[in-house]
Amino acid sequence: MTFGIEIKKLKRTGYLPACLGAAALAALFPAVNMAARSETFTVMPGAPLDIVTDASWQVMAMLNVMLLICGACLMYHIEYADSGIQKMSSLPVRPGQIFFGKAAVTALVMAVSLVLETSALSLCADRWFPGFEPDIREIFIRAGFQWITLLPTGVLMLLIASLCRNMWVSLGTGIILVFTLSVLPTDNPAAAFLPFCSPFQTFSSASGQGLIPAFIAVCLTESLCFGIAELICQKLRRYFE
Amino acid sequence: MNMIETHNLTKSYGSFTAVSRLNLHIRKGTVYGFLGPNGAGKSTTMKMFLGLTAPTGGTFQIDGKSYPRDRTAILKEVGSFIEAPSFYGNLTGEENLDIIRKILGLPKSSIEDALRLTGLAEFRKRPAKKYSLGMKQRLGLAGALLGRPPVLILDEPTNGLDPAGIHEIRSLIRSLPEQFDCTVLVSSHLLSEIELMADDIGILNHGRLLFEGTLDSLRSSARISGLPSDNLEDTFLAMIDGDNKCRGRQKGGADR
């Protein structure tokens, strides 16, 4: 029920069209990149899908992270702009239900975007690397891994947005965090697991280092911790409001 | 039987006490006027009833249920409107009410009922951000009345309404206990307004309850204390003024 209500709240905000637009833009990027520099990439050694992904993923991940930041800010802006959240808090809703509803919407939107993006990568590999055969299972495995690496960033961004009544504060915080953390070297194992950094990690690079299980465990733990932090913040807020 | 009861209910923010050892007794099926100047602690008290802010001391029961143990059960029974109307501006009036309806698990017909009661039926398809202040106020009231809850907590519900709207909403509030068998707690800083709709009143100043009882008992109490009793507005102002002077003397004594 909460999921349906959270979807309904987004009506006329432009959230869903913007998400689809950003996903389409991210999916379009590898095609444009390959079309413009195909001779650079087609001579490279390695698996075609890994080459295409490595060539475009940084930009695609940045678009995904930006989408998460703007999406989280928008979701809480509609709550605070006309005090809708105050009405929600005076209704028989369990603490955290609104937050986790928004997290579920974000997770679903990201899943759809990532399937679209990994499909685009696969289609590019098929187009520019003769002999490459697209594999649906591979597309879903890669999309699933990227989804898990995006999860802590999405949940942390929702936590930040829920704490800031002014949308510009949460938007600014998100932008600062993405640019601060994304300049950290991705080969640094500790930095790679941080929110805002993990989405830039590619499946091929993580599997090459044998870090897939570690990424899954750390990202899920981080997401859970941010969810618990939200519940604590909500409880504390009642004492100061 | 009391529908709402508080026992030494207190809310402090650091050294500032917004509500001090409040003992309210709100009878079932009545309209209780909660009166006090701005900053007296009326909204804070109402927010505590809704779990929007946690009490720092004391307890309260609504329909025999205690906070915080029965928070969800209390909220299922309470329709509320606090400070300013709360809504989603991007949604229409009807969509706003539908969200509340879904959470409360009410039938779809309850939306029609609330819209009709508050005179918003013809504006149901208009986005709430395009509503006038009075219409937003009515939407807030419609949200509180949805499903005809047994307890209504209304914080200055006539703010922003035109004289005709004030009269209409006042008549509606006055008729609610009889029509829907509910108990209404309504706050205002205007005694003239409360006088026209309340059975009992509670007067709050600086977080302390100065008086609780019927309007008649307020008159007789004023007469006994030597306060003006012909005009209740004067009684109220004299009572607040007297309390402020008394607080000033106590503060001065403590400072010395």
Side-chain angles (χ1 to χ4, degrees), chain A residues 1 5 8-13 78-79 82-95 98 237-241, chain B residues 11 13 50-54 71-72 75-76 80 82 85-92 95 98-100 102-104 143-144:
Chain A
M1 185 184 74
I5 288 173
K8 187 166 190 170
K9 284 182 192 172
L10 293 167
K11 228 173 158 181
R12 295 184 204 94
T13 58
I78 56 167
E79 294 288 349
D82 294 301
S83 309
I85 199 160
Q86 180 167 303
K87 185 69 202 172
M88 289 294 116
S89 309
S90 65
L91 291 171
V93 175
R94 277 195 308 277
I98 296 172
R237 230 178 192 181
R238 287 182 202 274
Y239 288 95
F240 300 107
E241 282 196 342
Chain B
K11 176 72 188 180
Y13 300 95
L50 297 168
L52 295 174
T53 184
R71 179 181 171 267
T72 310
L75 294 179
K76 272 185 186 160
S80 64
I82 297 291
S86 314
F87 54 88
Y88 295 97
N90 53 310
L91 302 182
T92 64
E95 287 165 347
D98 195 44
I99 286 180
I100 303 172
K102 279 183 177 157
I103 292 172
L104 294 172

Side-chain angles (χ1 to χ4, degrees), chain A residues 115-161:
Chain A
V115 169
L116 205 70
E117 290 166 24
T118 44
S119 303
L121 288 169
S122 190
L123 286 173
C124 287
D126 183 41
R127 164 75 180 76
W128 275 281
F129 292 88
F132 172 79
E133 281 192 16
D135 178 2
I136 299 278
R137 194 173 155 271
E138 179 79 3
I139 290 173
F140 277 95
I141 288 174
R142 284 175 182 250
F145 172 76
Q146 300 302 348
W147 181 78
I148 287 173
T149 59
L150 267 175
L151 215 51
T153 309
V155 181
L156 175 60
M157 209 40 237
L158 280 171
L159 170 64
I160 293 168

Side-chain angles (χ1 to χ4, degrees), chain A residues 55-97:
Chain A
S56 305
W57 189 251
Q58 297 306 304
V59 174
M60 293 167 81
M62 183 58 90
L63 279 168
N64 289 335
V65 172
M66 287 297 180
L67 178 64
L68 284 180
I69 294 172
C70 296
C73 293
L74 182 70
M75 278 180 164
Y76 272 96
H77 174 67
I78 56 167
E79 294 288 349
Y80 287 122
D82 294 301
S83 309
I85 199 160
Q86 180 167 303
K87 185 69 202 172
M88 289 294 116
S89 309
S90 65
L91 291 171
V93 175
R94 277 195 308 277
Q97 206 170 319

